[in-house]
Amino acid sequence: MNESTQAETAAGPGTLEAKSSEYIQIRDFSFFYGDKQALYDLDFNIPEQRVTAFIGPSGCGKSTLLRSINRMNDLIDGAHHQGDILVNGNSVFDPLTEVISLRKRVGMVFQKSNPFPKSIYENVIYGLRVSGRKRKSELDQVVAESLQGAALWDEVKDRLHESALGLSGGQMQRLCIARAIANKPEVILMDEPCSALDPIATGKIEELIHELKDQFTIVIVTHNMQQAARVSDFTAFFYLGKLIEYASTEDIFFNPKERQTEAYITGRFG
Amino acid sequence: MKRFFHNELDTLRSHLMLMGEKANDAVNKSIKGLTEKDIDLVNNVIASDEDIDALEVEIDYEATRYLTLRAPVASDLRLMTVAIKASHDLERVGDEARNIAKRARKIILKQAGYSEFQTIPDMAIMAQDMLRDALQSFLHEESERAYQVMEKDEEVDQLNKANIKAFIRMAKDDPDLINRFLDLIFISKSLERIADHATNLAEEVIFLTTATETRHKAALEPKKESRESE
């Protein structure tokens, strides 16, 4: 990376008028699976209420970084890190940070939709049930708001108490988004949320992402570069655990500064 | 399902229409300024060319951005290639209108009483009609109307040739006024070029709506015939 790009990366790629340009701060962050280093000294900021895409070839570390933001990697034996990640000014690794409460603030949607074998209704309010909320009127309201927010309400409002496992793949994924929204998170992490979906279901999720960024800070990992170009405001390109380039999505896809970024997005890589 | 970025296509189309209307308005004012000896009108055309130039840059940016971020295909993709070409044609129409206005200003300032313009006013009406029809065919995606625009180009070409002959003859009869007749020849030529750009626009509309290539037909067909005869 040349000097000017390094400087740009450290400061972030600009805000596109985001409320905060450093809502998520990644500070000298390295990550290790046992002896194997997966991420190297990452240092950049993710802006508030914008969509930031992580792109790069398999094994580049983009999912590892995503999963570090809400400490999903804690469950992996031998995994450890150096540096820090702050969400809205608070270190996610602070000993006082409760992981469960962190994951409510920083929700996650996975590649494969993972509804619980319960009703649609119970899936949405699962987080609220765990935290002991019982008042029916409140739960009903959260279910309606969350399903509306996930653009699923009209399709399921007449069968809220039927099993979530009867939904289509695209509907299940939107249900998982509704379940994340129900906890009123600050950040939603999405790890390849459309890779198992057909183009129409993918289009619906992309539309949803576009609408949700008015309320949430969204970080999405995707192998689909056209999807990154369509849905994100900023794009970070990773290679071999390093951040190669980070800029507005328009700059990355029209005039990338780094040779490796250009090679990757034009399909000349490898 | 309408996607959030489909609004950007509407914006691009409306900017092309706006640019076309501004270019057509400039042609109208430049000729009206000439025939009615209205110096304010021709000055207005010269000053407002910057607005048309700015729209070309904006449209090209919008199309390039859409190509970069939205991966368009089919008619959306054709709209991008057409927008970039059409904005260039309309920018050239604006330049020709400005050229007419500059020469009109010279004529008005030097010979305010002059009023022999041959068929220049008729050519201007035809060129503007062609431009307006090409824009309407773009707005309503009517390829039939675009074909009709292409058919009118030859008529404007003939009027231009007749004007040039007439002005050369007049210059020979009155050599002291050679500059005025040269200005009128260039104005006639500008109108002929405006009709050419309207024809280009019509060809672009046909490509947009039917994916049919109609450019350079005369040049392509003889080659095809000679290949077939070999």
Side-chain angles (χ1 to χ4, degrees):
Chain A
M1 198 184 290
N2 63 36
E3 270 181 37
S4 65
T5 312
Q6 252 178 348
E8 190 175 310
T9 297
T15 63
L16 286 180
E17 295 173 9
K19 281 185 176 176
S20 161
S21 60
E22 40 190 56
Y23 198 72
I24 302 173
Q25 300 172 49
I26 293 154
R27 291 281 163 268
D28 297 322
F29 189 73
S30 297
F31 191 89
F32 306 81
Y33 292 108
D35 295 336
K36 188 180 176 321
Q37 186 163 0
L39 297 174
Y40 294 83
D41 302 320
L42 303 180
D43 199 278
F44 66 106
N45 299 319
I46 294 172
E48 184 177 13
Q49 292 183 6
R50 291 290 177 272
V51 180
T52 301
F54 291 174
I55 64 168
S58 295
C60 71
K62 56 191 187 297
S63 286
T64 297
L65 177 61
L66 190 81
R67 295 164 64 88
S68 296
I69 298 172
N70 69 347
R71 291 179 53 182
M72 291 296 284
N73 294 324
D74 282 10
L75 304 170
I76 300 168
D77 280 345
H80 59 285
H81 72 276
Q82 292 169 357
D84 203 357
I85 296 176
L86 292 85
V87 174
N88 197 12
N90 302 309
S91 167
V92 303
F93 299 107
D94 188 313
L96 296 175
T97 298
E98 287 181 24
V99 175
I100 291 175
S101 108
L102 171 68
R103 290 182 192 153
K104 280 186 189 164
R105 286 171 54 214
V106 184
M108 192 154 194
V109 176
F110 297 86
Q111 181 173 0
K112 191 170 180 312
S113 58
N114 52 353
F116 302 129
K118 291 173 174 286
S119 69
I120 293 165
Y121 186 99
E122 287 298 326
N123 262 276
V124 176
I125 54 153
Y126 189 82
L128 277 73
R129 286 247 193 257
V130 169
S131 56
R133 309 260 277 278
K134 288 179 183 162
R135 201 151 57 90
K136 186 170 182 305
S137 60
E138 183 197 1
L139 297 179
D140 286 352
Q141 191 182 342
V142 169
V143 167
E145 285 174 2
S146 304
L147 289 170
Q148 282 162 0
L152 189 57
W153 176 251
D154 288 343
E155 294 165 55
V156 301
K157 64 184 176 194
D158 298 325
R159 47 174 172 147
L160 293 175
H161 298 286
E162 291 177 19
S163 170
L165 302 180
L167 297 173
S168 71
Q171 288 172 327
M172 283 190 199
Q173 197 61 304
R174 278 180 283 147
L175 178 64
C176 293
I177 292 171
R179 192 172 62 194
I181 294 172
N183 292 314
K184 301 204 183 312
E186 298 159 40
V187 178
I188 303 176
L189 308 175
M190 297 186 171
D191 193 356
E192 292 271 4
C194 301
S195 62
L197 303 180
D198 72 13
I200 293 170
T202 296
K204 286 183 180 174
I205 299 282
E206 288 181 5
E207 285 299 297
L208 184 53
I209 291 169
H210 182 71
E211 285 169 21
L212 291 175
K213 73 174 177 178
D214 288 342
Q215 300 172 62
F216 308 104
T217 300
I218 296 172
V219 188
I220 179 171
V221 162
T222 178
H223 273 124
N224 181 338
M225 279 183 283
Q226 289 178 358
Q227 179 169 72
R230 278 193 299 266
V231 303
S232 71
D233 301 298
F234 300 100
T235 296
F237 170 59
F238 297 90
Y239 183 55
L240 298 177
K242 292 176 181 165
L243 178 64
I244 305 299
E245 189 167 353
Y246 180 39
S248 76
T249 297
E250 202 174 324
D251 285 344
I252 289 279
F253 285 96
F254 186 68
N255 185 23
K257 299 285 181 282
E258 297 299 317
R259 188 180 46 78
Q260 284 171 308
T261 314
E262 171 113 12
Y264 182 69
I265 64 174
T266 57
R268 293 182 171 86
F269 215 73
Chain B
M1 176 172 47
K2 184 163 179 175
R3 302 295 305 272
F4 66 88
F5 47 82
H6 287 161
N7 290 337
E8 295 164 12
L9 298 174
D10 299 336
T11 304
L12 185 62
R13 283 193 194 94
S14 68
H15 281 161
L16 271 168
M17 288 305 294
L18 176 65
M19 189 179 181
E21 282 162 16
K22 279 181 180 282
N24 211 1
D25 187 49
V27 178
N28 185 41
K29 283 178 178 164
S30 67
I31 295 298
K32 199 173 172 195
L34 172 71
T35 55
E36 296 181 6
K37 327 280 190 272
D38 187 335
I39 200 80
D40 290 339
L41 212 49
V42 294
N43 282 339
N44 176 278
V45 171
I46 294 163
S48 62
D49 189 44
E50 281 179 8
D51 297 345
I52 298 173
D53 292 349
L55 272 168
E56 183 194 21
V57 173
E58 191 170 344
I59 287 165
D60 287 1
Y61 168 74
E62 287 169 352
T64 307
R65 184 176 186 277
Y66 201 93
L67 286 164
T68 304
L69 299 180
R70 314 305 183 201
V73 293
S75 61
D76 292 350
L77 173 59
R78 297 201 301 278
L79 176 62
M80 298 307 128
T81 64
V82 162
I84 291 169
K85 288 189 209 172
S87 71
H88 181 66
D89 276 310
L90 292 171
E91 188 272 335
R92 296 298 305 149
V93 170
D95 284 352
E96 296 294 356
R98 186 193 56 197
N99 292 342
I100 292 170
K102 281 182 175 173
R103 292 184 186 280
R105 185 165 66 180
K106 274 170 65 184
I107 292 171
I108 295 166
L109 291 176
K110 286 184 181 167
Q111 291 129 3
Y114 185 76
S115 61
E116 177 51 65
F117 301 116
Q118 295 291 319
T119 61
I120 282 176
D122 298 331
M123 278 181 78
I125 290 169
M126 288 183 71
Q128 286 175 83
D129 283 348
M130 288 171 69
L131 197 52
R132 194 174 300 115
D133 283 347
L135 289 166
Q136 287 298 312
S137 70
F138 169 75
L139 183 64
H140 301 292
E141 300 193 351
E142 295 171 331
S143 58
E144 196 49 49
R145 195 164 179 173
Y147 275 112
Q148 289 165 7
V149 171
M150 290 166 64
E151 286 165 9
K152 290 179 188 162
D153 190 40
E154 180 60 26
E155 209 175 326
V156 178
D157 289 352
Q158 292 307 323
L159 288 177
N160 179 48
K161 281 180 187 165
N163 278 340
I164 291 171
K165 271 188 191 169
F167 289 129
I168 289 173
R169 193 181 60 244
M170 289 159 81
K172 281 179 181 166
D173 293 345
D174 201 348
D176 290 346
L177 295 174
I178 182 76
N179 284 342
R180 176 214 291 164
F181 295 119
L182 275 176
D183 284 334
L184 289 167
I185 285 171
F186 279 118
I187 287 172
S188 180
K189 180 66 184 165
S190 283
L191 289 170
E192 187 268 333
R193 291 296 301 145
I194 289 166
D196 286 347
H197 290 300
T199 304
N200 291 352
L201 269 177
E203 289 168 346
E204 286 148 15
V205 171
I206 291 164
F207 183 74
L208 174 66
T209 53
T210 67
T212 306
E213 187 62 82
T214 54
R215 293 175 302 170
H216 314 302
K217 208 167 181 181
L220 291 171
E221 278 185 348
K223 284 183 192 165
K224 192 178 161 198
E225 280 167 19
S226 80
R227 277 201 304 275
E228 283 168 356
S229 66
E230 278 169 11

